[in-house]
Amino acid sequence: KFYRELHNRGDPYLEIVYANKDFEDEAYSICRFLRGSGFKSDAVFESLGKSLDKWEEAKNHDFYNDLEKSLGVPLDLFFHMSPIATYGNARNGCPVSYLKAGWLDTDGLFSICSKDVIARYFWNDMIHGSERQFKEAKSRFPNFVRCEKIRILDLEGFTSSQLSSDSIEFLKVMNGIATFFPENTHCILIVNVPSWFSFSWTIIKKFLAPRTVRKIEVYSNKAIGAARLKEIVEPSQIPSDFGGLAPDILTLNKSIAKQASKGDEETTTYPEKQIHRGIETVFVKPGKTITISDFTTVKKGDKLSVKAYTRSTHGASVSVSLCQKLQNKESLACEIFERSGTKEFSESNPPPTFSADILSCACSADGTVSITLEGLEDFSKSRKLSRGYFVLVATVESQKE
């Protein structure tokens, strides 16, 4: 019944179900969608029908193949806020993705990207990233037939304050894209789980499919979690910050950035020994002042640029000083100011992110860069909207030696 209905409907239903046709037999593709619905074909079409516009929009943008252009921010900045990387294969051939939740900065992430923009990363990963990952899996493991991934979530350093509404929104964005790729998780390992997480876990499970929940293994003991990870993944395929022998997440993300962005590799975000970025998420209240006295350092001849991002419902003035001398001062304000209340904003319809170039100059001497933020008046009527968060990015381009 499902097969006949699928082919009667044609595209885009065929495109969605057979998205991994180059690496997965037809029977496996069909079964993935049916298993996710409890083998209720009508439920599959009903679910997909509600979201076809999202698929078509992403398809019209080639599923955001030029990732850095699609996100509108440097990839190293995005990965700084969202430390996700997919690397290597498990012993059964499945690609393995890793997330360092303790490094996740959703306050900063939602200040540089709206949730619709963040979704572009997951579209890119599920289409273009998966193509690279499954192609590698097929070449290394000829008997690899099911397009499934293993996901490792490390909660070391993750605090209860990080489990905010933004963190839940991040999960919703990720899960919203995952609905087009059901049953693609082989298993999930959550390691280094803090004691307070047990209560929060009951909330998070509500946003996950029951079959997905049954595939999740939770380990609070660090040694046991590490041992279990090495049971399913060779140590040579595990990043060093997860206890393995492969490069760490930061280094892997540099490689991912080069693969994900089109164009001449020499002009990507990561030219060797040329660019250094200072990145910090700052919270400032209206009428308050915060100074970061040693934001980054520069040498004579370096090119320095400073940019600020926010989605806060109040603005701030941003001052940049070099060697204790003021270089420039700009006001940064969310678009809500420009609209003067002509549009009602809410949690489900937040103001768009806003960015401003604060400074661009050539450095005439060695020195330290300091940045001062002064919070402006808050015009927001809602206490639920984001307020006070700003992301500061100082980019230092050094001369080639």
Side-chain angles (χ1 to χ4, degrees):
K1 178 181 177 181
F2 178 80
Y3 180 87
R4 291 194 302 270
E5 181 66 18
L6 175 64
H7 284 266
N8 285 337
R9 292 185 180 230
D11 290 332
Y13 292 93
L14 285 170
E15 295 174 334
I16 297 172
V17 174
Y18 297 138
N20 296 315
K21 66 181 184 302
D22 293 336
F23 312 101
E24 184 176 60
D25 291 343
E26 182 180 44
Y28 288 107
S29 297
I30 291 175
C31 283
R32 278 196 299 107
F33 276 83
L34 287 174
R35 284 200 308 270
S37 66
F39 289 88
K40 299 176 181 178
S41 60
D42 291 341
V44 175
F45 292 115
E46 181 180 359
S47 176
L48 291 178
K50 293 178 181 178
S51 304
L52 288 182
D53 56 334
K54 295 180 180 179
W55 176 273
E56 293 290 359
E57 181 180 0
K59 179 186 173 184
N60 289 339
H61 291 86
D62 191 21
F63 299 101
Y64 310 103
N65 193 23
D66 190 339
L67 184 55
E68 184 162 280
K69 181 179 179 180
S70 299
L71 294 176
V73 298
L75 283 175
D76 57 344
L77 174 58
F78 181 86
F79 286 131
H80 179 87
M81 306 293 178
S82 176
I84 303 174
T86 300
Y87 178 78
N89 302 87
R91 298 178 192 271
N92 64 358
C94 288
V96 187
S97 66
Y98 300 86
L99 170 61
K100 296 285 288 187
W103 299 354
L104 183 64
D105 180 4
T106 52
D107 293 322
L109 184 61
F110 281 98
S111 293
I112 64 172
C113 297
S114 67
K115 62 182 181 180
D116 291 336
V117 172
I118 294 171
R120 297 173 185 177
Y121 165 77
F122 292 107
W123 277 117
N124 176 282
D125 180 62
M126 295 303 293
I127 295 294
H128 302 295
S130 292
E131 181 180 359
R132 293 190 298 269
Q133 295 151 18
F134 293 142
K135 184 178 181 180
E136 181 181 356
K138 201 75 171 178
S139 65
R140 294 185 59 200
F141 300 85
N143 294 325
F144 180 80
V145 294
R146 296 174 63 174
C147 290
E148 297 178 340
K149 299 182 183 182
I150 292 175
R151 309 179 195 279
I152 313 300
L153 174 60
D154 185 0
L155 296 187
E156 184 173 16
F158 190 68
T159 65
S160 57
S161 62
Q162 288 177 278
L163 194 60
S164 61
S165 58
D166 279 345
S167 297
I168 299 300
E169 197 64 38
F170 181 79
L171 288 175
K172 288 182 180 179
V173 171
M174 182 168 56
N175 195 49
I177 308 304
T179 57
F180 292 95
F181 309 91
E183 297 291 311
N184 78 332
T185 297
H186 181 78
C187 68
I188 300 174
L189 268 63
I190 306 180
V191 297
N192 300 320
V193 176
S195 57
W196 60 265
F197 187 73
S198 57
F199 174 76
S200 302
W201 176 233
T202 61
I203 300 174
I204 296 173
K205 285 193 293 187
K206 295 179 181 179
F207 300 100
L208 303 175
R211 283 184 57 85
T212 300
V213 173
R214 290 195 290 270
K215 297 178 181 180
I216 296 175
E217 303 175 28
V218 180
Y219 297 95
S220 57
N221 184 286
K222 186 172 185 176
I224 296 177
R228 174 57 177 152
L229 175 56
K230 290 176 181 178
E231 282 182 14
I232 60 177
V233 185
E234 288 278 357
S236 63
Q237 298 286 295
I238 301 173
S240 59
D241 38 10
F242 282 78
L245 303 176
D248 60 30
I249 288 290
L250 177 61
T251 303
L252 292 174
N253 277 336
K254 291 180 179 181
S255 176
I256 291 171
K258 288 182 178 179
Q259 294 175 8
S261 291
K262 293 180 177 179
D264 186 349
E265 187 169 302
E266 292 184 0
T267 62
T268 62
T269 304
Y270 302 96
E272 292 297 326
K273 298 181 181 178
Q274 287 187 349
I275 287 181
H276 166 73
R277 296 193 201 278
I279 303 170
E280 189 154 348
T281 302
V282 181
F283 180 81
V284 59
K285 296 180 179 180
K288 301 296 183 180
T289 300
I290 291 179
T291 298
I292 306 173
S293 58
D294 54 350
F295 193 85
T296 192
T297 57
V298 296
K299 294 181 178 180
K300 183 178 179 180
D302 287 351
K303 293 181 180 179
L304 169 67
S305 62
V306 178
K307 191 166 188 173
Y309 301 81
T310 191
R311 64 164 178 153
S312 174
T313 53
H314 73 76
S317 65
V318 183
S319 304
V320 181
S321 297
L322 177 58
C323 300
Q324 299 183 339
K325 293 182 180 179
L326 179 65
Q327 301 297 308
N328 196 29
K329 182 176 182 178
E330 296 284 349
S331 292
L332 178 69
C334 190
E335 192 176 347
I336 194 170
F337 287 103
E338 300 175 9
R339 296 186 178 182
S340 302
T342 58
K343 182 176 181 179
E344 192 69 29
F345 293 103
S346 64
E347 286 182 284
S348 60
N349 180 41
T353 59
F354 186 88
S355 63
D357 295 313
I358 309 301
L359 177 67
S360 180
C361 69
C363 302
S364 58
D366 296 0
T368 300
V369 177
S370 63
I371 301 179
T372 298
L373 287 87
E374 300 174 61
L376 302 177
E377 185 177 354
D378 189 351
F379 292 98
S380 172
K381 296 179 182 179
S382 172
R383 307 303 299 177
K384 295 182 179 180
L385 293 177
S386 174
R387 57 201 339 102
Y389 284 103
F390 298 83
V391 174
L392 304 173
V393 182
T395 302
V396 180
E397 183 175 353
S398 302
Q399 293 178 323
K400 291 183 179 180
E401 298 182 359

PDB file of all heavy atoms in Angstrom, residues 13 20 26 31 34 38 45 79 96 98 105 113 115 137 141 173 193 233 243 275 277 282 298 306 328 367 377 389:
ATOM      1  N   TYR A  13       7.538  13.488  -2.686  1.00  0.00           N
ATOM      2  CA  TYR A  13       7.528  12.367  -1.749  1.00  0.00           C
ATOM      3  C   TYR A  13       8.613  11.338  -2.098  1.00  0.00           C
ATOM      4  O   TYR A  13       9.298  10.814  -1.207  1.00  0.00           O
ATOM      5  CB  TYR A  13       6.153  11.696  -1.755  1.00  0.00           C
ATOM      6  CG  TYR A  13       5.054  12.552  -1.178  1.00  0.00           C
ATOM      7  CD1 TYR A  13       4.275  13.368  -2.001  1.00  0.00           C
ATOM      8  CD2 TYR A  13       4.784  12.563   0.189  1.00  0.00           C
ATOM      9  CE1 TYR A  13       3.265  14.156  -1.477  1.00  0.00           C
ATOM     10  CE2 TYR A  13       3.770  13.349   0.724  1.00  0.00           C
ATOM     11  CZ  TYR A  13       3.020  14.148  -0.124  1.00  0.00           C
ATOM     12  OH  TYR A  13       2.026  14.937   0.405  1.00  0.00           O
ATOM     13  N   ASN A  20      18.511   8.804   0.237  1.00  0.00           N
ATOM     14  CA  ASN A  20      19.792   8.089   0.355  1.00  0.00           C
ATOM     15  C   ASN A  20      19.887   6.933  -0.632  1.00  0.00           C
ATOM     16  O   ASN A  20      20.558   5.932  -0.370  1.00  0.00           O
ATOM     17  CB  ASN A  20      19.968   7.566   1.786  1.00  0.00           C
ATOM     18  CG  ASN A  20      20.051   8.685   2.800  1.00  0.00           C
ATOM     19  OD1 ASN A  20      20.756   9.674   2.594  1.00  0.00           O
ATOM     20  ND2 ASN A  20      19.329   8.541   3.902  1.00  0.00           N
ATOM     21  N   GLU A  26      16.242   0.149  -1.729  1.00  0.00           N
ATOM     22  CA  GLU A  26      14.879   0.661  -1.649  1.00  0.00           C
ATOM     23  C   GLU A  26      14.126   0.114  -0.441  1.00  0.00           C
ATOM     24  O   GLU A  26      13.408   0.847   0.251  1.00  0.00           O
ATOM     25  CB  GLU A  26      14.122   0.320  -2.932  1.00  0.00           C
ATOM     26  CG  GLU A  26      12.703   0.855  -2.976  1.00  0.00           C
ATOM     27  CD  GLU A  26      12.001   0.490  -4.268  1.00  0.00           C
ATOM     28  OE1 GLU A  26      12.126  -0.686  -4.694  1.00  0.00           O
ATOM     29  OE2 GLU A  26      11.340   1.359  -4.843  1.00  0.00           O
ATOM     30  N   CYS A  31      11.267   0.895   4.671  1.00  0.00           N
ATOM     31  CA  CYS A  31      11.072   0.402   6.038  1.00  0.00           C
ATOM     32  C   CYS A  31      11.394   1.470   7.074  1.00  0.00           C
ATOM     33  O   CYS A  31      10.755   1.520   8.132  1.00  0.00           O
ATOM     34  CB  CYS A  31      11.924  -0.838   6.280  1.00  0.00           C
ATOM     35  SG  CYS A  31      11.246  -2.342   5.540  1.00  0.00           S
ATOM     36  N   LEU A  34       8.289   3.583   7.382  1.00  0.00           N
ATOM     37  CA  LEU A  34       7.171   2.844   7.963  1.00  0.00           C
ATOM     38  C   LEU A  34       7.411   2.525   9.441  1.00  0.00           C
ATOM     39  O   LEU A  34       6.487   2.617  10.255  1.00  0.00           O
ATOM     40  CB  LEU A  34       6.927   1.562   7.176  1.00  0.00           C
ATOM     41  CG  LEU A  34       6.283   1.758   5.798  1.00  0.00           C
ATOM     42  CD1 LEU A  34       6.220   0.441   5.043  1.00  0.00           C
ATOM     43  CD2 LEU A  34       4.883   2.367   5.941  1.00  0.00           C
ATOM     44  N   GLY A  38       5.074   3.322  12.953  1.00  0.00           N
ATOM     45  CA  GLY A  38       4.400   2.107  13.399  1.00  0.00           C
ATOM     46  C   GLY A  38       3.735   1.383  12.245  1.00  0.00           C
ATOM     47  O   GLY A  38       2.696   0.734  12.431  1.00  0.00           O
ATOM     48  N   PHE A  45       2.340   9.851   5.118  1.00  0.00           N
ATOM     49  CA  PHE A  45       1.989  10.874   4.132  1.00  0.00           C
ATOM     50  C   PHE A  45       1.386  12.104   4.794  1.00  0.00           C
ATOM     51  O   PHE A  45       1.611  13.229   4.339  1.00  0.00           O
ATOM     52  CB  PHE A  45       1.032  10.285   3.094  1.00  0.00           C
ATOM     53  CG  PHE A  45       1.667   9.244   2.216  1.00  0.00           C
ATOM     54  CD1 PHE A  45       1.235   7.936   2.254  1.00  0.00           C
ATOM     55  CD2 PHE A  45       2.707   9.585   1.370  1.00  0.00           C
ATOM     56  CE1 PHE A  45       1.821   6.973   1.450  1.00  0.00           C
ATOM     57  CE2 PHE A  45       3.307   8.630   0.559  1.00  0.00           C
ATOM     58  CZ  PHE A  45       2.867   7.320   0.603  1.00  0.00           C
ATOM     59  N   PHE A  79      30.591  27.142  14.673  1.00  0.00           N
ATOM     60  CA  PHE A  79      31.010  25.945  15.394  1.00  0.00           C
ATOM     61  C   PHE A  79      31.513  26.265  16.800  1.00  0.00           C
ATOM     62  O   PHE A  79      31.494  25.398  17.678  1.00  0.00           O
ATOM     63  CB  PHE A  79      32.088  25.201  14.603  1.00  0.00           C
ATOM     64  CG  PHE A  79      31.561  24.468  13.405  1.00  0.00           C
ATOM     65  CD1 PHE A  79      32.169  24.607  12.166  1.00  0.00           C
ATOM     66  CD2 PHE A  79      30.456  23.636  13.499  1.00  0.00           C
ATOM     67  CE1 PHE A  79      31.695  23.924  11.057  1.00  0.00           C
ATOM     68  CE2 PHE A  79      29.970  22.957  12.404  1.00  0.00           C
ATOM     69  CZ  PHE A  79      30.591  23.099  11.177  1.00  0.00           C
ATOM     70  N   VAL A  96      29.780   8.517  12.763  1.00  0.00           N
ATOM     71  CA  VAL A  96      29.599   8.885  14.170  1.00  0.00           C
ATOM     72  C   VAL A  96      29.668  10.402  14.304  1.00  0.00           C
ATOM     73  O   VAL A  96      30.614  11.035  13.820  1.00  0.00           O
ATOM     74  CB  VAL A  96      30.676   8.241  15.062  1.00  0.00           C
ATOM     75  CG1 VAL A  96      30.365   8.502  16.535  1.00  0.00           C
ATOM     76  CG2 VAL A  96      30.769   6.742  14.800  1.00  0.00           C
ATOM     77  N   TYR A  98      29.497  13.786  17.017  1.00  0.00           N
ATOM     78  CA  TYR A  98      29.839  14.122  18.393  1.00  0.00           C
ATOM     79  C   TYR A  98      29.363  15.536  18.715  1.00  0.00           C
ATOM     80  O   TYR A  98      29.460  16.444  17.886  1.00  0.00           O
ATOM     81  CB  TYR A  98      31.359  14.063  18.594  1.00  0.00           C
ATOM     82  CG  TYR A  98      31.971  12.702  18.318  1.00  0.00           C
ATOM     83  CD1 TYR A  98      32.352  12.341  17.032  1.00  0.00           C
ATOM     84  CD2 TYR A  98      32.169  11.784  19.342  1.00  0.00           C
ATOM     85  CE1 TYR A  98      32.914  11.101  16.769  1.00  0.00           C
ATOM     86  CE2 TYR A  98      32.730  10.532  19.094  1.00  0.00           C
ATOM     87  CZ  TYR A  98      33.105  10.200  17.801  1.00  0.00           C
ATOM     88  OH  TYR A  98      33.658   8.964  17.554  1.00  0.00           O
ATOM     89  N   ASP A 105      26.752  27.058  23.335  1.00  0.00           N
ATOM     90  CA  ASP A 105      26.399  28.418  23.756  1.00  0.00           C
ATOM     91  C   ASP A 105      25.174  28.864  22.966  1.00  0.00           C
ATOM     92  O   ASP A 105      25.283  29.526  21.934  1.00  0.00           O
ATOM     93  CB  ASP A 105      27.580  29.370  23.513  1.00  0.00           C
ATOM     94  CG  ASP A 105      27.285  30.809  23.925  1.00  0.00           C
ATOM     95  OD1 ASP A 105      26.198  31.062  24.475  1.00  0.00           O
ATOM     96  OD2 ASP A 105      28.147  31.678  23.682  1.00  0.00           O
ATOM     97  N   CYS A 113      22.433  33.823  14.722  1.00  0.00           N
ATOM     98  CA  CYS A 113      21.579  33.175  13.722  1.00  0.00           C
ATOM     99  C   CYS A 113      20.167  33.015  14.267  1.00  0.00           C
ATOM    100  O   CYS A 113      19.995  32.621  15.418  1.00  0.00           O
ATOM    101  CB  CYS A 113      22.103  31.787  13.344  1.00  0.00           C
ATOM    102  SG  CYS A 113      23.728  31.741  12.569  1.00  0.00           S
ATOM    103  N   LYS A 115      16.531  30.911  14.280  1.00  0.00           N
ATOM    104  CA  LYS A 115      16.319  29.460  14.255  1.00  0.00           C
ATOM    105  C   LYS A 115      16.134  28.943  12.829  1.00  0.00           C
ATOM    106  O   LYS A 115      16.515  27.816  12.515  1.00  0.00           O
ATOM    107  CB  LYS A 115      15.142  29.066  15.134  1.00  0.00           C
ATOM    108  CG  LYS A 115      13.796  29.621  14.730  1.00  0.00           C
ATOM    109  CD  LYS A 115      12.729  29.174  15.727  1.00  0.00           C
ATOM    110  CE  LYS A 115      11.346  29.696  15.336  1.00  0.00           C
ATOM    111  NZ  LYS A 115      10.311  29.256  16.303  1.00  0.00           N
ATOM    112  N   ALA A 137      31.535   5.504   4.317  1.00  0.00           N
ATOM    113  CA  ALA A 137      31.175   4.256   4.986  1.00  0.00           C
ATOM    114  C   ALA A 137      31.089   3.103   3.986  1.00  0.00           C
ATOM    115  O   ALA A 137      31.557   1.987   4.252  1.00  0.00           O
ATOM    116  CB  ALA A 137      29.840   4.423   5.707  1.00  0.00           C
ATOM    117  N   PHE A 141      33.361  -0.033   4.280  1.00  0.00           N
ATOM    118  CA  PHE A 141      32.586  -1.195   4.723  1.00  0.00           C
ATOM    119  C   PHE A 141      31.624  -1.574   3.590  1.00  0.00           C
ATOM    120  O   PHE A 141      30.486  -1.093   3.557  1.00  0.00           O
ATOM    121  CB  PHE A 141      31.802  -0.879   6.003  1.00  0.00           C
ATOM    122  CG  PHE A 141      32.662  -0.490   7.173  1.00  0.00           C
ATOM    123  CD1 PHE A 141      33.078   0.834   7.340  1.00  0.00           C
ATOM    124  CD2 PHE A 141      33.059  -1.425   8.108  1.00  0.00           C
ATOM    125  CE1 PHE A 141      33.864   1.200   8.413  1.00  0.00           C
ATOM    126  CE2 PHE A 141      33.847  -1.071   9.183  1.00  0.00           C
ATOM    127  CZ  PHE A 141      34.259   0.252   9.341  1.00  0.00           C
ATOM    128  N   VAL A 173      14.623  22.604  16.555  1.00  0.00           N
ATOM    129  CA  VAL A 173      15.097  22.872  15.197  1.00  0.00           C
ATOM    130  C   VAL A 173      15.727  21.613  14.612  1.00  0.00           C
ATOM    131  O   VAL A 173      15.438  21.214  13.478  1.00  0.00           O
ATOM    132  CB  VAL A 173      16.114  24.034  15.197  1.00  0.00           C
ATOM    133  CG1 VAL A 173      16.767  24.167  13.824  1.00  0.00           C
ATOM    134  CG2 VAL A 173      15.432  25.342  15.586  1.00  0.00           C
ATOM    135  N   VAL A 193      27.171  12.089  32.355  1.00  0.00           N
ATOM    136  CA  VAL A 193      25.888  12.695  32.724  1.00  0.00           C
ATOM    137  C   VAL A 193      25.926  13.172  34.175  1.00  0.00           C
ATOM    138  O   VAL A 193      26.204  12.380  35.087  1.00  0.00           O
ATOM    139  CB  VAL A 193      24.742  11.675  32.538  1.00  0.00           C
ATOM    140  CG1 VAL A 193      23.424  12.258  33.008  1.00  0.00           C
ATOM    141  CG2 VAL A 193      24.666  11.239  31.075  1.00  0.00           C
ATOM    142  N   VAL A 233      33.321   2.007  18.723  1.00  0.00           N
ATOM    143  CA  VAL A 233      34.139   2.801  17.804  1.00  0.00           C
ATOM    144  C   VAL A 233      35.617   2.559  18.111  1.00  0.00           C
ATOM    145  O   VAL A 233      36.026   2.609  19.278  1.00  0.00           O
ATOM    146  CB  VAL A 233      33.832   4.316  17.919  1.00  0.00           C
ATOM    147  CG1 VAL A 233      34.611   5.090  16.862  1.00  0.00           C
ATOM    148  CG2 VAL A 233      32.344   4.594  17.803  1.00  0.00           C
ATOM    149  N   GLY A 243      38.345  11.002  24.325  1.00  0.00           N
ATOM    150  CA  GLY A 243      39.149   9.893  24.813  1.00  0.00           C
ATOM    151  C   GLY A 243      39.795   9.054  23.752  1.00  0.00           C
ATOM    152  O   GLY A 243      40.353   7.988  24.059  1.00  0.00           O
ATOM    153  N   ILE A 275      44.621  33.943  10.248  1.00  0.00           N
ATOM    154  CA  ILE A 275      43.497  34.556  10.945  1.00  0.00           C
ATOM    155  C   ILE A 275      43.318  33.975  12.345  1.00  0.00           C
ATOM    156  O   ILE A 275      43.391  32.764  12.550  1.00  0.00           O
ATOM    157  CB  ILE A 275      42.192  34.380  10.141  1.00  0.00           C
ATOM    158  CG1 ILE A 275      42.218  35.301   8.923  1.00  0.00           C
ATOM    159  CG2 ILE A 275      40.971  34.686  10.992  1.00  0.00           C
ATOM    160  CD1 ILE A 275      40.989  35.234   8.081  1.00  0.00           C
ATOM    161  N   ARG A 277      40.565  34.575  15.679  1.00  0.00           N
ATOM    162  CA  ARG A 277      39.339  35.242  16.110  1.00  0.00           C
ATOM    163  C   ARG A 277      39.216  35.188  17.630  1.00  0.00           C
ATOM    164  O   ARG A 277      39.369  34.128  18.235  1.00  0.00           O
ATOM    165  CB  ARG A 277      38.102  34.591  15.489  1.00  0.00           C
ATOM    166  CG  ARG A 277      38.022  34.688  13.982  1.00  0.00           C
ATOM    167  CD  ARG A 277      36.631  34.295  13.500  1.00  0.00           C
ATOM    168  NE  ARG A 277      36.646  33.908  12.111  1.00  0.00           N
ATOM    169  CZ  ARG A 277      36.620  34.747  11.083  1.00  0.00           C
ATOM    170  NH1 ARG A 277      36.595  36.041  11.307  1.00  0.00           N
ATOM    171  NH2 ARG A 277      36.641  34.298   9.837  1.00  0.00           N
ATOM    172  N   VAL A 282      28.440  38.084  25.647  1.00  0.00           N
ATOM    173  CA  VAL A 282      28.389  39.003  26.788  1.00  0.00           C
ATOM    174  C   VAL A 282      26.942  39.348  27.093  1.00  0.00           C
ATOM    175  O   VAL A 282      26.129  39.538  26.180  1.00  0.00           O
ATOM    176  CB  VAL A 282      29.183  40.295  26.493  1.00  0.00           C
ATOM    177  CG1 VAL A 282      29.145  41.237  27.684  1.00  0.00           C
ATOM    178  CG2 VAL A 282      30.616  39.964  26.110  1.00  0.00           C
ATOM    179  N   VAL A 298      47.170  42.152  19.389  1.00  0.00           N
ATOM    180  CA  VAL A 298      47.554  42.358  17.996  1.00  0.00           C
ATOM    181  C   VAL A 298      49.030  42.732  17.931  1.00  0.00           C
ATOM    182  O   VAL A 298      49.633  43.139  18.929  1.00  0.00           O
ATOM    183  CB  VAL A 298      46.711  43.474  17.337  1.00  0.00           C
ATOM    184  CG1 VAL A 298      45.249  43.080  17.276  1.00  0.00           C
ATOM    185  CG2 VAL A 298      46.879  44.792  18.090  1.00  0.00           C
ATOM    186  N   VAL A 306      36.387  44.317  14.100  1.00  0.00           N
ATOM    187  CA  VAL A 306      35.530  43.961  15.233  1.00  0.00           C
ATOM    188  C   VAL A 306      34.078  44.051  14.781  1.00  0.00           C
ATOM    189  O   VAL A 306      33.661  45.053  14.188  1.00  0.00           O
ATOM    190  CB  VAL A 306      35.765  44.887  16.442  1.00  0.00           C
ATOM    191  CG1 VAL A 306      34.817  44.508  17.583  1.00  0.00           C
ATOM    192  CG2 VAL A 306      37.217  44.802  16.905  1.00  0.00           C
ATOM    193  N   ASN A 328      36.930  53.478  18.007  1.00  0.00           N
ATOM    194  CA  ASN A 328      35.611  53.756  17.432  1.00  0.00           C
ATOM    195  C   ASN A 328      34.520  53.355  18.420  1.00  0.00           C
ATOM    196  O   ASN A 328      34.735  52.514  19.304  1.00  0.00           O
ATOM    197  CB  ASN A 328      35.404  52.997  16.124  1.00  0.00           C
ATOM    198  CG  ASN A 328      34.240  53.557  15.307  1.00  0.00           C
ATOM    199  OD1 ASN A 328      33.941  54.745  15.393  1.00  0.00           O
ATOM    200  ND2 ASN A 328      33.597  52.714  14.530  1.00  0.00           N
ATOM    201  N   GLY A 367      49.814  45.558  20.787  1.00  0.00           N
ATOM    202  CA  GLY A 367      48.982  46.012  21.889  1.00  0.00           C
ATOM    203  C   GLY A 367      47.822  45.090  22.181  1.00  0.00           C
ATOM    204  O   GLY A 367      47.686  44.009  21.595  1.00  0.00           O
ATOM    205  N   GLU A 377      18.386  51.679  26.573  1.00  0.00           N
ATOM    206  CA  GLU A 377      17.049  51.505  27.133  1.00  0.00           C
ATOM    207  C   GLU A 377      16.338  50.327  26.497  1.00  0.00           C
ATOM    208  O   GLU A 377      16.505  50.043  25.311  1.00  0.00           O
ATOM    209  CB  GLU A 377      16.223  52.779  26.907  1.00  0.00           C
ATOM    210  CG  GLU A 377      14.840  52.748  27.553  1.00  0.00           C
ATOM    211  CD  GLU A 377      14.093  54.054  27.354  1.00  0.00           C
ATOM    212  OE1 GLU A 377      14.688  55.010  26.826  1.00  0.00           O
ATOM    213  OE2 GLU A 377      12.911  54.108  27.725  1.00  0.00           O
ATOM    214  N   TYR A 389      21.895  39.927  25.432  1.00  0.00           N
ATOM    215  CA  TYR A 389      23.000  39.102  24.952  1.00  0.00           C
ATOM    216  C   TYR A 389      23.603  39.687  23.670  1.00  0.00           C
ATOM    217  O   TYR A 389      22.889  40.024  22.717  1.00  0.00           O
ATOM    218  CB  TYR A 389      22.544  37.668  24.689  1.00  0.00           C
ATOM    219  CG  TYR A 389      22.356  36.885  25.962  1.00  0.00           C
ATOM    220  CD1 TYR A 389      21.083  36.634  26.468  1.00  0.00           C
ATOM    221  CD2 TYR A 389      23.456  36.413  26.669  1.00  0.00           C
ATOM    222  CE1 TYR A 389      20.917  35.929  27.648  1.00  0.00           C
ATOM    223  CE2 TYR A 389      23.295  35.702  27.851  1.00  0.00           C
ATOM    224  CZ  TYR A 389      22.023  35.474  28.332  1.00  0.00           C
ATOM    225  OH  TYR A 389      21.854  34.782  29.512  1.00  0.00           O
TER     226      TYR A 389
END
